Amino acid sequence: APPRYRYYQNACTQSYSYAWWDWARWEREIDWMALSGINLAPAFAGQEAAWQRVYRSLGLDRSEIDAYFTGPAFLAWNRMGNLRGWAGPLPPAWHIKQLYLQYRIVERMRSLGMITVLPAFAGHVPQGILRVFPRVNATRLGGWSHFNCTYSCTYLLDPEDPMFQVIGTLFLKELIKEFGTDHVYSADTFNEMTPLSSDPAYLSRVSNAVFRSMTGADPEALWLMQGWLFQHQPDFWQPAQVRALLHGVPLGRMIVLDLFAESKPVYQWTESFYGQPFIWCMLHNFGGNHGLFGTVEAINHGPFAARSFPNSTMVGTGLVPEGIEQNDMVYELMNELGWRQEPLDLPSWVTRYAERRYGAPNAAAASAWRLLLRSVYNCTGVCVNHNHSPLVRRPSLRMDTELWYNTSDVYEAWRLLLSAGAELGSSPTFRYDLVDVTRQAAQQLVSDYYLSIRQAFQSHALPELLTAGGVLVYDLLPELDSLLSSHSLFLLGRWLESARAVATSDQEAEQYELNARNQVTLWGPSGNILDYANKQLGGLVLDYYGVRWSLFVSALVESLNSGSPFHQDQFNQAVFQVERGFVYNKKRYPAVPAGDTLEISRKLFLKYYP
């Protein structure tokens, strides 16, 4: 392979996808990584157990530690200093289970020739540190995203404070003693958090302090840092600030992940990260959302352009989705590009992909994939893949239905895949793709019905409103739900039951299930990051999205009937009760699929194919 590294995983994937994994699921993932040629990846499980030991040894008590750690579904943001306490605390059994998982993860990754990346201290500390060391110099950061200081505003130790080195080195020594090391460590001090000062000298001191706390425990330490912050807050991170942060570490002792390189590459405006090595990464997915999407032209050319950039310091390619188990083709493509010297001929590549994926050549399936390649998978310009479909968003009269592709290509791909069903129906990958493409077609149809609903309401046409609203709420959404319920990978029950399975008591099972439900819906106590991690799952479509749409249509009908205007604010308050009600409804959802995928897709097709 041309470059040294092929990297995989995002700090957020630990929560959006891996939160409830057992060893059997980890083992499959690590096998896939090996088969895909991945040779550099984080091993982040079990770190809270190590932190707990460090905090106890420093004098913190259990209540102070409990108030700091979030629940399992939100640990990614606790580790980056964004959140504290939300959906926690972590039960003692959680730590033990995660430790045992981590032993197996690092052992297997290393046995397959992978370099493991361990977490390091980024500077964030629990409030209890201020009680034990009253003279310590720590500053409270602002709130993150839409969270106020109840669950955010963590403390950041001043890099000059001697405790910074003490805590950082203590933690890393604890980890190395427990898990051994491959000398690569990850730390993100300012992920979506504005630094206290834009003075370049300050920023250099911070990165130098983080690096010294690594070398204090391991003189050979190499720091792997996510480069998300530079493109996320470009107003703050001007060239002088970027250079200062990067140059606080000796050249070659840091590797930067150019995290969103397919849409917003940072290497181009930083002279290749001012001499620090970097990995060209495809982010692709936010929040683990479903929805067909890709930027195939950008990823087919991007890594090669980066490698031939003047004085390029590129040392690898990477896959860094926030959530996995969606759009497999894009990840297969990106993995393949890590082994190539030049761009691929995409239409012929995707034709071979269809054959490999289904285990047999099929003209209709190949045509379907070429259509998908040129449409949903070919977003150009600055593409940010948050699924904004009205299906998975809180209803309003101002919803975004714009798309980057021609919807007729997806409908035609759906028709072609269905026609291949007789030949390929026994292939599990084919059945998965048929669900996914049918789901995409249904998602497009939801937008059409939404536009009809809005049009009918705005022109005071009650019969049309009742018709469009009725079809959406009483037929299309239930049909989509039954389609999703026919495949194990599209079941809400699978996500919830895997959360419960980690528990060692009924109380833990309830806490973990609330974590799992909240993450895919409200994302916070009051819908702080509402629907950011939306998924299209059997059970969720009917009992969450469907109920919201039902309430919305009823509110519009009521407004036309009574002649009083529709108030979005009032609706939002009412719909929040529905959303919150779903999180706490305690209904058990099946973790086993029901119904025949091909039959359900065909039924939807006969009813709805435009």
Side-chain angles (χ1 to χ4, degrees):
R4 169 78 179 87
Y5 298 112
R6 285 164 308 284
Y7 177 83
Y8 168 57
Q9 294 186 29
N10 179 311
C12 302
T13 331
Q14 318 292 324
S15 293
Y16 286 135
S17 299
Y18 316 153
W20 316 113
W21 281 9
D22 57 8
W23 169 242
R25 182 64 186 83
W26 267 112
E27 187 171 37
R28 292 187 57 158
E29 195 73 9
I30 296 168
D31 283 351
W32 174 84
M33 288 157 63
L35 290 164
S36 305
I38 304 294
N39 62 4
L40 178 66
F44 282 177
Q47 61 178 288
E48 282 69 32
W51 271 121
Q52 182 161 266
R53 285 181 211 160
V54 170
Y55 295 148
R56 296 304 285 267
S57 73
L58 291 168
L60 273 71
D61 61 39
R62 169 131 185 219
S63 65
E64 288 170 318
I65 297 170
D66 282 351
Y68 186 64
F69 290 144
T70 59
F74 302 95
L75 281 172
W77 301 278
N78 181 238
R79 293 165 180 174
M80 293 185 283
N82 305 136
L83 283 183
R84 55 186 181 84
W86 165 243
L90 291 174
W94 171 265
H95 295 303
I96 296 164
K97 286 190 142 188
Q98 291 297 304
L99 269 179
Y100 277 104
L101 260 184
Q102 175 77 345
Y103 292 138
R104 301 178 85 165
I105 290 166
V106 295
E107 186 279 323
R108 179 62 54 87
M109 281 172 63
R110 287 171 184 156
S111 76
L112 291 168
M114 293 175 208
I115 298 165
T116 58
V117 181
L118 294 177
F121 179 55
H124 311 108
V125 291
Q127 192 170 351
I129 292 284
L130 282 71
R131 175 188 64 79
V132 185
F133 304 102
R135 292 207 298 281
V136 75
N137 183 3
T139 313
R140 197 158 194 192
L141 297 168
W144 171 72
S145 196
H146 301 283
F147 279 85
N148 63 20
C149 290
T150 313
Y151 294 113
S152 188
C153 310
T154 52
Y155 287 89
L156 183 67
L157 261 189
D158 185 275
E160 316 269 73
D161 193 290
M163 281 310 291
F164 196 104
Q165 298 306 315
V166 171
I167 296 173
T169 302
L170 258 180
F171 172 64
L172 213 47
K173 281 182 169 166
E174 182 69 38
L175 270 193
I176 294 168
K177 184 183 82 190
E178 203 73 57
F179 307 122
T181 184
D182 295 320
H183 311 294
V184 186
Y185 306 98
S186 158
D188 294 295
T189 305
F190 299 121
N191 178 64
E192 300 190 0
M193 308 291 264
T194 306
L196 303 166
S197 159
S198 62
D199 175 15
Y202 167 75
L203 295 169
S204 275
R205 288 202 301 272
V206 175
S207 57
N208 188 256
V210 172
F211 182 66
R212 279 198 331 251
S213 78
M214 292 176 185
T215 53
D218 177 0
E220 296 174 53
L222 189 68
W223 179 5
L224 184 89
M225 185 182 82
Q226 297 196 119
W228 175 254
L229 67 173
F230 302 135
Q231 67 77 35
H232 184 258
Q233 291 178 304
D235 296 345
F236 179 91
W237 294 103
Q238 300 285 320
Q241 282 69 28
V242 176
R243 185 193 296 263
L245 191 75
L246 297 177
H247 283 185
V249 178
L251 282 186
R253 299 294 293 275
M254 173 187 257
I255 298 177
V256 187
L257 300 176
D258 201 348
L259 212 70
F260 198 15
E262 81 271 31
S263 283
K264 299 179 180 179
V266 173
Y267 78 88
Q268 292 173 352
W269 58 270
T270 57
E271 298 167 27
S272 198
F273 291 98
Y274 302 114
Q276 291 289 21
F278 77 95
I279 294 177
W280 192 100
C281 296
M282 174 190 78
L283 206 168
H284 180 263
N285 179 274
F286 292 90
N289 297 169
H290 288 118
L292 303 184
F293 173 84
T295 55
V296 290
E297 287 300 335
I299 63 177
N300 195 28
H301 291 98
F304 307 103
R307 213 178 293 159
S308 57
F309 188 73
N311 301 319
S312 175
T313 52
M314 176 176 157
V315 292
T317 51
L319 281 69
V320 293
E322 284 191 355
I324 62 166
E325 298 183 349
Q326 40 74 27
N327 292 295
D328 297 353
M329 182 273 270
V330 180
Y331 299 95
E332 293 300 320
L333 175 61
M334 189 63 222
N335 273 335
E336 181 135 350
L337 289 166
W339 294 87
R340 295 286 177 153
Q341 302 286 356
E342 58 194 18
L344 295 159
D345 173 341
L346 291 176
S348 64
W349 180 85
V350 89
T351 302
R352 292 197 306 276
Y353 169 80
E355 186 175 333
R356 291 202 307 273
R357 187 158 169 88
Y358 305 140
N362 181 287
S367 300
W369 273 104
R370 286 192 296 269
L371 281 173
L372 295 172
L373 178 80
R374 79 174 195 197
S375 57
V376 277
Y377 286 118
N378 192 27
C379 189
T380 53
V382 177
C383 302
V384 183
N385 176 28
H386 293 287
N387 192 338
H388 286 295
S389 162
L391 168 62
V392 293
R393 296 286 169 171
R394 183 187 271 175
S396 81
L397 292 169
R398 292 187 303 278
M399 298 186 88
D400 178 11
T401 56
E402 260 187 50
L403 296 170
W404 62 94
Y405 63 93
N406 196 333
T407 53
S408 60
D409 283 345
V410 168
Y411 291 130
E412 180 60 11
W414 181 21
R415 187 187 71 77
L416 287 162
L417 275 186
L418 262 180
S419 75
E423 275 184 41
L424 300 177
S426 60
S427 154
T429 35
F430 174 81
R431 296 176 91 88
Y432 174 87
D433 289 345
L434 181 62
V435 173
D436 209 16
V437 173
T438 309
R439 179 207 51 68
Q440 187 72 17
Q443 177 180 298
Q444 292 173 181
L445 290 161
V446 169
S447 287
D448 295 343
Y449 281 99
Y450 163 68
L451 292 172
S452 304
I453 288 166
R454 188 171 72 184
Q455 177 59 43
F457 175 73
Q458 285 167 347
S459 48
H460 300 278
L462 187 59
E464 285 84 349
L465 174 61
L466 288 166
T467 304
V471 173
L472 174 67
V473 171
Y474 297 113
D475 194 79
L476 180 56
L477 293 179
E479 288 280 21
L480 172 58
D481 196 81
S482 73
L483 170 83
L484 298 168
S485 300
S486 75
H487 197 291
S488 59
L489 291 172
F490 288 95
L491 293 177
L492 173 64
R494 176 172 158 265
W495 173 245
L496 300 184
E497 294 302 321
S498 65
R500 298 185 71 93
V502 181
T504 58
S505 69
D506 290 348
Q507 189 187 347
E508 279 176 28
E510 299 215 340
Q511 181 194 353
Y512 294 170
E513 181 171 346
L514 289 177
N515 265 257
R517 285 172 180 255
N518 182 278
Q519 190 207 82
V520 297
T521 55
L522 291 174
W523 214 131
S526 53
N528 308 59
I529 319 182
L530 181 69
D531 298 316
Y532 178 94
N534 65 72
K535 310 277 183 295
Q536 292 172 40
L537 301 171
L540 194 64
V541 166
L542 204 58
D543 290 355
Y544 179 72
Y545 304 129
V547 178
R548 284 204 301 208
W549 276 106
S550 177
L551 193 67
F552 182 66
V553 172
S554 303
L556 296 183
V557 169
E558 173 59 29
S559 164
L560 286 190
N561 275 335
S562 65
S564 56
F566 169 79
H567 288 294
Q568 187 70 43
D569 293 349
Q570 284 172 9
F571 174 75
N572 287 350
Q573 284 171 16
V575 83
F576 175 68
Q577 298 309 321
V578 165
E579 293 158 346
R580 201 171 171 282
F582 170 79
V583 174
Y584 292 97
N585 76 14
K586 293 199 172 175
K587 177 174 164 182
R588 294 295 284 271
Y589 289 88
V592 179
D596 180 343
T597 297
L598 270 84
E599 264 176 46
I600 299 167
S601 177
R602 198 168 289 122
K603 187 175 153 197
L604 263 160
F605 182 83
L606 292 171
K607 261 195 228 183
Y608 286 105
Y609 178 72

